[in-house]
Amino acid sequence: MNENLRWLAINAPDWDNNLDRIARGSVGVDWFSSEHFPGRIGFSREELRVAKAELSGERMDNIARNGNDGEHYYSDITAYDPPVPTTIPEYAFTTPDEDEAWAEAERRMDAIGQNGNDGLHYNLEDVAFVRAEGKQPRYQDATGEDWIDEAARTFTAEEFRGAMRFSIGKYNRRIGKKDDLIEEIEKMRDYCQRWIDVEKGR
């Protein structure tokens, strides 16, 4: 059995979306459309089903022979070797620019804690600027990317969609509790438009 297919058969959740291919991504499971990514290597729903069934049969045989499946539920669970890298690559986790951005975020969170608003985030002038220019300069790095750009480039499709759903849902759930209704709707519109742009580019 293909090593990536075997990993997917062990780790992939049930297939509950309309995409037709699955692959092992850099950070987990990635579903995608063969129509939008015709050259990308992946496995079909049927290939995954057969692999899961085959692994299930192997495990039942192992349990019948020796009381465990050879992969899960050892008496010493710390001896289990997970099917992912166990070493962390040696690189800096943050850049100086990211450290500065985190410090700024902490200052703004403290301001919000003190008075309910940081006085900067999504006031009507900012919303007007985003409508006209696209992205607020204070959120951009040296290459012009903001966090949504980076997420679209580095997350799997499913991870990115989850992040966007979370962000939009946050503003939707707090309507009437923090900022003006129109401001909150504008925030959701910003995220929705950025999401649309990313999906159109896939």
Side-chain angles (χ1 to χ4, degrees), residues 73-80:
Y73 300 110
Y74 288 99
S75 57
D76 179 6
I77 195 64
T78 60
Y80 171 57

Side-chain angles (χ1 to χ4, degrees), residues 1 12 17 35 78 80 84 86 123 136 148 158 162 181 185:
M1 181 186 301
N17 58 62
E35 179 182 349
T78 60
Y80 171 57
V84 294
T86 55
N123 58 49
Q136 296 182 51
I148 296 175
E158 289 302 310
L181 173 65
I185 295 170

Side-chain angles (χ1 to χ4, degrees), residues 17-34:
N17 58 62
N18 295 324
L19 300 172
D20 66 339
R21 305 295 282 176
I22 188 171
R24 182 177 179 181
S26 59
V27 293
V29 177
D30 189 14
W31 283 273
F32 65 96
S33 164
S34 58

